[in-house]
Amino acid sequence: MRPHGGPKELEQRRQRAISLLREGYQPVDVATMLGLDRRSMRRWEATHRQKDEKGILARQAPGRSPKLDSNDLRKLAKALLKGSRKVGHSTDLHLDWDLVSYVA
């Protein structure tokens, strides 16, 4: 299970763990002190040994690329701010399928 905290907080946790290792603590002891699984501690240690500080830095989480580019988002925002009636609809509500027509 992923620990709580954002990428930067988790990076600081890894840096603290490496710092404790440098002070001479054993990986199992560091894991206990920081509430880590000992396998995670050993993995971080190995990654740090191989890649130095770059190995324990926070990384951007991978994810799906956006479906709308900046131009589409601008069009959509403009239509939403104008209001539904001003963009040609008979009600004050924007419906999902209506929103698609603004950017398609």
Side-chain angles (χ1 to χ4, degrees):
M1 184 163 80
R2 185 178 187 277
H4 296 289
K8 282 293 182 189
E9 292 168 315
L10 298 176
E11 177 184 318
Q12 290 172 348
R13 190 175 181 193
R14 290 187 295 271
Q15 289 173 337
R16 176 70 177 132
I18 297 301
S19 173
L20 289 170
L21 288 175
R22 286 182 180 152
E23 291 177 22
Y25 289 98
Q26 294 298 312
V28 173
D29 298 329
V30 173
T32 302
M33 283 188 261
L34 298 179
L36 306 170
D37 185 274
R38 60 185 168 73
R39 292 170 293 197
S40 294
M41 183 62 247
R42 291 197 186 277
R43 190 174 54 249
W44 295 350
E45 179 185 25
T47 301
H48 184 264
R49 203 177 316 115
Q50 291 171 358
K51 300 179 181 178
D52 200 39
E53 293 298 315
K54 292 180 192 173
I56 60 171
L57 294 177
R59 293 183 300 268
Q60 181 67 34
R64 184 183 83 197
S65 55
K67 290 189 174 192
L68 300 178
D69 62 20
S70 60
N71 190 38
D72 290 339
L73 288 172
R74 220 176 355 266
K75 284 183 191 176
L76 180 58
K78 196 173 180 180
L80 289 172
L81 290 172
K82 278 185 181 178
S84 184
R85 289 188 189 269
K86 289 194 177 180
V87 291
H89 297 287
S90 59
T91 69
D92 290 325
L93 299 174
H94 284 284
L95 302 175
D96 291 344
W97 54 270
D98 289 336
L99 298 177
V100 171
S101 68
Y102 299 129
V103 294

